[in-house]
Amino acid sequence: EVFYSTDTAMNTSLSCTNNACRNPSNGSIPANTGTGIIRKKSLHMPTYYLIANLAICDLVLSVANVFNLAVNIIAIRMRISVYTHNILCKFFTSFPTYWSYTASIQTLIFISGERYLAVFRPTKRLASKRSLRLCVLAWIIALLLSFPVIITTTTNHIQQRFCVPFSSYTTWTGIYNMTLFIFQYALPALVMITVYSLIFSRLKQKNMTSQNESHRSKRLKRRTIYMLFITTIVFLVLSAPWALTLAAVVFTGLLPYQMAANFRNPALQNLVNIRRLLLPFTSLYNPIIYCIFQKKIRKLLLPCQCLNRNKKLNPVIEPTSQSRTDCKGNNGSELIALSSEERSHLYKIQPRIT
């Protein structure tokens, strides 16, 4: 008998049905990316550890955006006290936003450095344990940079209250905002663009990799570099209004909520509005880019796609008992020498009924 299916496809289908499709993850897409990379041993590599850390940053930013909306609704409808509102603003809106953003910047810098080593010094690649330490270091640096927000965050003290990182402009406010703009956007952007420019110039060279490296390995390396470069550029574009607002605070002496209410300067109003619109999207685009360029991550985020693939099954011919008896006395070479028409008489193709 001949079955129009394969054992591999059947096992894959059952595995997907039982493990992924029947038990979908309760978390968001960034959470699926991070936990999936941690669970899957084949992804325990420096690059994927850093990608998982970036996914955690996206998750924290997404949660902060949700809490920010929830706190504003609670403050308007439930009329909570100013003290309670300040506590919610400090620990659930402003601090997580600044912490996740600065951690994302640190992680993207480490990713560009890891890709630089992989291309220019393939024999001195980053170890997995060191990449995990870099992930922890990114969060520590981000914590130190964003901790002052816990102290300064308050409400805007008007009838329709909402959270603001600073209630009034001071010298400290200008120093802090300019520090964030230079060291958490302008300088990292310059460094990362320079590093990727060097990487791309090296990729154009014919002898950029070792002669022992396979064509498939080279192609995967290029795709990974393209994926991470696009991830970095999109992040810088979407966070540019937020960074420019930091610089505008220093040069104008106006805080973001004051810029939004300044009808005399439409440019500043539009800048603040675009900032509010684009910053949440910095946590949404990464999974899309990962799915386009990386098959392994695509399987993590879209586990049920394997069921669609199993619709196109390759036929596997299994000989009948009669054909086995006929061929028992023949040599393997004689069976190979048979034409396709002669083989078709030996095998009977029937679809498996499931």
Side-chain angles (χ1 to χ4, degrees):
E1 296 177 358
V2 178
F3 304 103
Y4 199 70
S5 60
T6 63
D7 292 339
T8 303
M10 290 293 296
N11 293 335
T12 305
S13 175
L14 292 175
S15 175
C16 287
T17 303
N18 296 330
N19 299 332
C21 301
R22 291 185 180 178
N23 298 310
S25 175
N26 294 326
S28 61
I29 291 180
N32 292 345
T33 306
T35 57
I37 291 175
I38 294 173
R39 290 179 179 179
K40 200 173 183 64
K41 292 184 178 181
S42 62
L43 299 179
H44 288 183
M45 293 182 289
T47 304
Y48 290 108
Y49 281 140
L50 294 172
I51 290 176
N53 193 58
L54 191 61
I56 295 173
C57 297
D58 295 338
L59 177 62
V60 174
L61 182 59
S62 300
V63 172
N65 291 327
V66 173
F67 272 115
N68 187 28
L69 179 62
V71 168
N72 290 333
I73 294 175
I74 291 172
I76 295 173
R77 296 193 175 184
M78 298 183 63
R79 297 182 180 179
I80 59 177
S81 64
V82 176
Y83 177 77
T84 304
H85 193 191
N86 286 340
I87 294 297
L88 294 175
C89 289
K90 290 177 183 291
F91 294 98
F92 293 98
T93 60
S94 295
F95 173 68
T97 301
Y98 279 77
W99 194 23
S100 60
Y101 171 82
T102 50
S104 297
I105 285 290
Q106 308 303 323
T107 305
L108 289 172
I109 294 173
F110 293 150
I111 287 175
S112 63
E114 188 273 336
R115 286 293 87 193
Y116 180 87
L117 289 178
V119 172
F120 284 87
R121 297 181 181 180
T123 58
K124 296 182 180 180
R125 292 185 178 182
L126 187 66
S128 297
K129 291 184 178 180
R130 184 168 293 182
S131 65
L132 291 175
R133 293 172 187 170
L134 289 177
C135 294
V136 176
L137 180 62
W139 286 102
I140 294 175
I141 295 175
L143 178 62
L144 296 176
L145 290 171
S146 56
F147 183 78
V149 178
I150 297 179
I151 302 173
T152 60
T153 297
T154 181
T155 59
N156 57 353
H157 300 295
I158 61 177
Q159 185 176 4
Q160 191 173 3
R161 292 177 298 170
F162 52 86
C163 305
V164 291
F166 301 94
S167 60
S168 61
Y169 182 83
T170 61
T171 304
W172 162 249
T173 304
I175 294 174
Y176 183 73
N177 280 270
M178 183 55 68
T179 301
L180 286 181
F181 174 75
I182 295 175
F183 294 101
Q184 292 302 303
Y185 185 81
L187 190 58
L190 180 62
V191 170
M192 289 185 288
I193 291 175
T194 302
V195 170
Y196 279 110
S197 299
L198 295 174
I199 292 174
F200 287 135
S201 64
R202 186 61 181 261
L203 289 176
K204 292 181 181 179
Q205 299 177 7
K206 295 182 179 179
N207 298 325
M208 50 119 355
T209 54
S210 174
Q211 296 294 335
N212 297 327
E213 191 173 8
S214 63
H215 176 72
R216 182 175 180 272
S217 177
K218 296 178 183 178
R219 183 167 55 86
L220 291 176
K221 181 183 291 186
R222 288 176 181 270
R223 289 180 66 87
T224 302
I225 292 173
Y226 293 149
M227 177 189 73
L228 297 175
F229 174 72
I230 294 175
T231 300
T232 303
I233 293 299
V234 175
F235 180 85
L236 293 176
V237 171
L238 293 179
S239 60
W242 185 82
L244 292 175
T245 304
L246 297 176
V249 170
V250 178
F251 292 109
T252 62
L254 298 175
L255 298 175
Y257 75 93
Q258 294 173 338
M259 295 180 192
N262 186 9
F263 296 97
R264 296 180 180 179
N265 197 333
L268 292 178
Q269 276 189 321
N270 294 331
L271 179 62
V272 174
N273 292 331
I274 294 174
R275 167 207 181 192
R276 293 173 179 173
L277 178 64
L278 293 185
L279 188 61
F281 284 96
T282 57
S283 62
L284 301 177
Y285 72 93
N286 283 339
I288 300 174
I289 298 177
Y290 297 158
C291 286
I292 293 174
F293 286 91
Q294 280 289 336
K295 181 179 179 181
K296 293 181 179 179
I297 299 180
R298 184 163 60 245
K299 288 182 178 179
L300 293 178
L301 301 180
L302 304 172
C304 293
Q305 69 172 351
C306 54
L307 294 180
N308 296 329
R309 291 186 177 182
N310 290 334
K311 293 179 180 180
K312 299 179 180 180
L313 299 175
N314 296 324
V316 174
I317 298 177
E318 297 183 5
T320 61
S321 57
Q322 181 64 31
S323 63
R324 292 193 187 99
T325 304
D326 296 339
C327 299
K328 188 176 291 186
N330 297 334
N331 296 328
S333 59
E334 295 177 352
L335 181 60
I336 295 175
L338 293 175
S339 63
S340 59
E341 294 182 357
E342 292 173 332
R343 291 182 195 178
S344 62
H345 293 291
L346 296 178
Y347 303 110
K348 181 172 55 178
I349 300 179
Q350 294 179 354
R352 168 177 287 180
I353 300 176
T354 59

